[in-house]
Amino acid sequence: MSLLPRKISWKTFTLWLACLGVGLTFVSGVVQWVGIDSARDLSKVGFDRLSLYHGTLHSALEKHRYLPFVLSRDEEIRELLSTKDGRGGLILSVNRSLNATNQKAESDVLYVLNSEGTTLAASNWSEERSFVGHNYAFRPYYKDAIEGKEVGFFAVGATTGVPGFFMSHAVVNEADVSGVIVAKVDLRPLQQQWRDGGEHVIVTDQNGVIFLSSRDKWRYRTVSPISETSMAKIRTNRQFAGAGLAPLELKKLTIFGQDVFEIDGERFLVLTRDAGKPGWSMHFLIPFKFIREKQQTSLLIGMVLLVLFLMGGLFIRERRQKLRSAQRAREADRFQAINEMLQIEIDERKRTEEELLKTQADLVQTGKLAALGQMSTAIAHEINQPMAAIRTFTASARLLLGKGKPEQVGQSLEEISFLTERMAKITGELKTFARKAPVEYQMVDLREALGRAITLMQTVCEQDGVIVELRDLGDSVPVRGDIVRLEQVFVNLIRNAADAMHDYNEKRILVTLRNINDHVIILFEDSGTGIEPGIIAQLFDPFFTTKDVGKGVGLGLSISYGIVKDFGGNIRAENLDDGGARFVVEFPCATSLKHQRLKYTV
Ligand code: ADP
């Protein structure tokens, strides 16, 4: 059972399916291309934003880099670091000076450590969480400054808990380091700026720890697990206070040729660059959903267009089918009209044909009647001669009776009887010719008719010394006709052939039966006089004869012609090359009996 509606063929269904497949492939290709293109566009934009944020971070750090160096040259501070006594007034003065400078420079805290790392003075000296008195020897910025390095260090404040970037510079007094000046910069306002911009920026250090992040929950998490050694170092210098530094649920992927971070199941297109300090990296993260949204929009548009396209196709198909069926209906109407016209014409032709046949029959009849007139001379001759002879024989019989010779009267009577028989024969033939007998069709085996004709003629032929040879070259040959009338045709042809060989020594009639392409052909070939070429066309005319008066009336071939034509056949005469004549009789085979083998032997 077909799953399709009867109207749609499997071929059309497959075509539609292929169109749908091609359409879907095209749409998915477009969606993919939109993904790649928008990822590329976003990464370009992201890179510009990343450069901007990098610039702000860089300027935030560089802005205060000079402070520790400048303060290390301050005479009061140098004195504070070198003087052992009477520091009370000096410390207050330095504290105030540091506070003033801090406010002016907009840094977070400025403070002075002695050579042991203990804070002697600080800008926040008056605050609750003042650095003064605290030792920061454990901080790398102290150690770096002692060693003459200016690296900088990000850490969560050990005293205040406020994260910031620490920059330091050593104060050198006659080749000895007498102390360290430290400037702390608060980077939280920067983070706030990023957050306010609604963008995702993170900065990681050399251990992969996110120490600056626009999203709070990522801060002090890591992008990759930290080694034990690094962890121990972080704990020693108390860089991130007590933060756990647990790794983020992060997967690094490559989608549309771009780096993608999947953090806690949320995807971001990520652009990375170094952040200006050794090991630092700044990452700008763009939510991947922007790309997905664009893709979804293009998918929606694509699907709508595809549906419209398919619907358009269906509509056109439907319309075409309607037009086609309308055209078919018009054509059917036209054919109907033509058929009707043809039918009228056929009827008319039938009528004309019937009229023609009738006219033809009338003409034949008229022709026959006209011929009757023509033949009257011949008949008069044929009949008058025996009648004159009868009269003579009757007179002589009367005389002989008068003379008392009854035995000779019997002979005369015999002659009279023979002559009346001959007259009866002539009139009989005339009757057959003149009668317009209806044709009766039956299925007849032609060989049977032929065999019977040969048998009938056997005695006559034997008397005349004529040999009839039958060559049967085919299967049974059924034709539509009447066996007695067919027999009459064959008898006539054999008799004519025998007559034509009367004065010849070799008297041989060859009858050949052939079955060719649904036609049966019977050839009657004799070794007689042959036919004069000039009279071949007249042979089948009624009363045409070349025989002596009393021997032929010229009706045999004419009657035979009529019979053969009645049964749909044909008859013609021709001369043989070696002398003698050939009569060719042809009939169409009756197809209904074509394959039925009828057995007959002569
Ligand atoms: P008829 O035999 O009474 O003359 P047909 O119509 O049978 O009438 O024949 C017409 C004429 O055709 C014959 O007179 C004869 O001249 C010619 N004819 C017929 N058969 C042969 C034949 N086998 N060979 C030569 N002439 C023939």
Side-chain angles (χ1 to χ4, degrees):
M1 200 183 80
S2 170
L3 292 171
L4 294 171
R6 240 189 308 160
K7 268 179 138 186
I8 300 177
S9 67
W10 275 107
K11 199 177 154 195
T12 319
F13 177 69
T14 319
L15 195 74
W16 280 108
L17 216 60
C19 282
L20 187 69
V22 170
L24 286 176
T25 313
F26 180 72
V27 170
S28 81
V30 168
V31 169
Q32 182 77 2
W33 179 80
V34 166
I36 293 170
D37 193 56
S38 47
R40 203 168 34 219
D41 283 355
L42 281 178
S43 74
K44 263 187 215 157
V45 174
F47 192 76
D48 292 345
R49 305 293 294 160
L50 183 64
S51 301
L52 181 75
Y53 290 130
H54 178 266
T56 57
L57 176 65
H58 182 74
S59 64
L61 297 176
E62 290 302 303
K63 193 166 85 175
H64 300 103
R65 204 161 68 91
Y66 68 94
L67 276 174
F69 170 74
V70 172
L71 291 174
S72 70
R73 311 235 150 213
D74 184 272
E75 280 309 319
E76 242 184 353
I77 292 170
R78 293 177 79 88
E79 196 186 330
L80 175 70
L81 289 171
S82 56
T83 313
K84 303 281 178 195
D85 304 316
R87 291 195 299 188
L90 190 58
I91 288 174
L92 186 65
S93 168
V94 171
N95 277 341
R96 281 185 180 148
S97 159
L98 284 174
N99 185 265
T101 312
N102 188 50
Q103 277 180 20
K104 201 77 187 158
E106 292 177 343
S107 51
D108 189 28
V109 188
L110 294 174
Y111 52 104
V112 180
L113 307 179
N114 66 13
S115 55
E116 278 81 40
T118 303
T119 313
L120 293 182
S123 60
N124 61 358
W125 61 278
S126 60
E127 291 170 20
E128 199 186 326
R129 292 188 175 185
S130 163
F131 288 3
V132 179
H134 288 273
N135 187 282
Y136 296 108
F138 59 90
R139 292 293 205 186
Y141 58 77
Y142 165 76
K143 291 171 194 163
D144 286 344
I146 296 289
E147 286 167 17
K149 293 184 212 160
E150 272 183 49
V151 181
F153 179 67
F154 180 90
V156 176
T159 313
T160 57
V162 174
F165 187 69
F166 297 83
M167 290 168 281
S168 57
H169 197 275
V171 180
V172 182
N173 234 347
E174 295 168 4
D176 285 334
V177 175
S178 60
V180 173
I181 310 295
V182 186
K184 182 184 175 187
V185 179
D186 187 359
L187 294 175
R188 286 175 304 170
L190 201 65
Q191 278 184 143
Q192 191 56 43
Q193 269 180 28
W194 299 344
R195 199 180 298 123
D196 292 346
E199 289 178 318
H200 304 285
V201 184
I202 57 172
V203 182
T204 54
D205 67 7
Q206 66 276 16
N207 294 314
V209 179
I210 302 167
F211 62 93
L212 287 176
S213 168
S214 56
R215 208 180 257 196
D216 290 341
K217 65 175 181 178
W218 293 344
R219 198 173 307 117
Y220 308 135
R221 305 282 299 272
T222 63
V223 292
S224 52
I226 308 176
S227 69
E228 273 307 311
T229 333
S230 305
M231 201 61 173
K233 214 168 155 189
I234 289 166
R235 275 195 212 106
T236 310
N237 57 38
R238 289 153 63 188
Q239 188 178 2
F240 296 107
L245 304 182
L248 276 175
E249 280 280 314
L250 186 143
K251 272 187 225 160
K252 291 178 180 174
L253 309 166
T254 303
I255 303 176
F256 301 138
Q258 308 290 337
D259 291 334
V260 171
F261 280 0
E262 191 180 292
I263 305 171
D264 298 330
E266 198 181 347
R267 285 185 176 175
F268 299 91
L269 195 71
V270 59
L271 296 139
T272 305
R273 63 171 295 176
D274 68 279
K277 295 288 170 192
W280 284 18
S281 296
M282 186 179 239
H283 307 275
F284 184 75
L285 285 84
I286 306 166
F288 205 77
K289 66 176 181 187
F290 294 153
I291 297 170
R292 286 278 174 248
E293 276 167 10
K294 281 196 177 182
Q295 281 191 302
Q296 276 160 6
T297 311
S298 62
L299 178 68
L300 194 71
I301 294 171
M303 290 310 283
V304 167
L305 286 177
L306 183 63
V307 168
L308 282 178
F309 173 76
L310 290 177
M311 277 171 66
L314 275 172
F315 175 74
I316 290 170
R317 182 177 173 272
E318 193 73 6
R319 207 175 145 65
R320 235 190 248 168
Q321 265 181 354
K322 267 187 194 158
L323 283 174
R324 226 178 278 158
S325 39
Q327 199 177 340
R328 263 188 224 136
R330 274 201 301 277
E331 267 170 25
D333 286 350
R334 209 155 54 89
F335 280 129
Q336 175 85 17
I338 291 171
N339 274 351
E340 278 166 12
M341 272 170 63
L342 273 177
Q343 193 55 47
I344 292 168
E345 211 162 300
I346 287 168
D347 291 347
E348 233 166 67
R349 270 170 198 263
K350 260 189 196 164
R351 264 200 308 280
T352 318
E353 205 176 338
E354 276 165 18
E355 272 169 27
L356 260 176
L357 280 173
K358 196 171 163 288
T359 317
Q360 210 172 10
D362 289 348
L363 274 175
V364 170
Q365 199 60 13
T366 319
K368 280 181 182 175
L369 289 172
L372 269 178
Q374 279 180 18
M375 75 175 182
S376 53
T377 323
I379 296 170
H381 190 85
E382 287 294 321
I383 304 280
N384 281 347
Q385 199 194 14
M387 271 184 29
I390 288 170
R391 227 180 282 131
T392 314
F393 280 123
T394 316
S396 74
R398 205 180 287 137
L399 278 174
L400 287 169
L401 267 177
K403 283 179 186 173
K405 291 179 182 171
E407 67 286 353
Q408 284 178 6
V409 173
Q411 204 182 338
S412 294
L413 286 174
E414 222 171 88
E415 286 294 334
I416 290 167
S417 164
F418 173 74
L419 287 167
T420 49
E421 248 176 57
R422 180 168 161 67
M423 284 162 72
K425 199 175 146 201
I426 291 167
T427 51
E429 277 189 5
L430 280 172
K431 219 169 105 190
T432 316
F433 181 74
R435 199 178 67 226
K436 198 177 162 188
V439 182
E440 276 181 26
Y441 296 104
Q442 284 157 359
M443 228 32 104
V444 176
D445 184 2
L446 204 64
R447 283 198 284 162
E448 194 183 341
L450 191 59
R452 275 163 65 165
I454 292 170
T455 313
L456 268 177
M457 289 301 293
Q458 210 162 6
T459 330
V460 179
C461 288
E462 272 170 15
Q463 275 171 11
D464 292 356
V466 176
I467 301 163
V468 181
E469 188 188 332
L470 174 67
R471 277 194 202 162
D472 189 348
L473 301 175
D475 288 339
S476 64
V477 277
V479 293
R480 289 179 78 230
D482 175 80
I483 194 156
V484 179
R485 301 187 75 188
L486 285 173
E487 206 181 292
Q488 197 181 341
V489 173
F490 301 145
V491 164
N492 194 33
L493 291 174
I494 295 169
R495 181 176 290 143
N496 275 348
D499 285 350
M501 295 187 295
H502 189 265
D503 298 329
Y504 287 75
N505 290 333
E506 197 196 333
K507 298 175 180 179
R508 193 180 180 80
I509 304 172
L510 179 61
V511 182
T512 312
L513 190 71
R514 271 188 205 157
N515 197 351
I516 302 168
N517 293 341
D518 295 344
H519 273 73
V520 58
I521 294 172
I522 314 118
L523 306 173
F524 294 85
E525 294 168 342
D526 61 55
S527 51
T529 55
I531 311 153
E532 265 194 46
I535 62 162
I536 284 186
Q538 296 163 263
L539 284 190
F540 300 96
D541 290 347
F543 303 108
F544 177 82
T545 182
T546 56
K547 292 176 190 169
D548 294 339
V549 175
K551 283 199 176 163
V553 247
L555 286 176
L557 282 182
S558 173
I559 292 166
S560 299
Y561 183 86
I563 294 170
V564 172
K565 284 285 173 188
D566 277 350
F567 296 154
N570 204 6
I571 182 167
R572 67 174 196 274
E574 59 197 21
N575 278 319
L576 291 172
D577 293 341
D578 306 335
R582 176 195 286 142
F583 278 77
V584 183
V585 188
E586 203 178 322
F587 287 106
C589 279
T591 44
S592 59
L593 288 179
K594 193 178 163 194
H595 301 294
Q596 197 181 324
R597 194 180 172 89
L598 301 177
K599 288 203 167 127
Y600 178 80
T601 39
V602 179

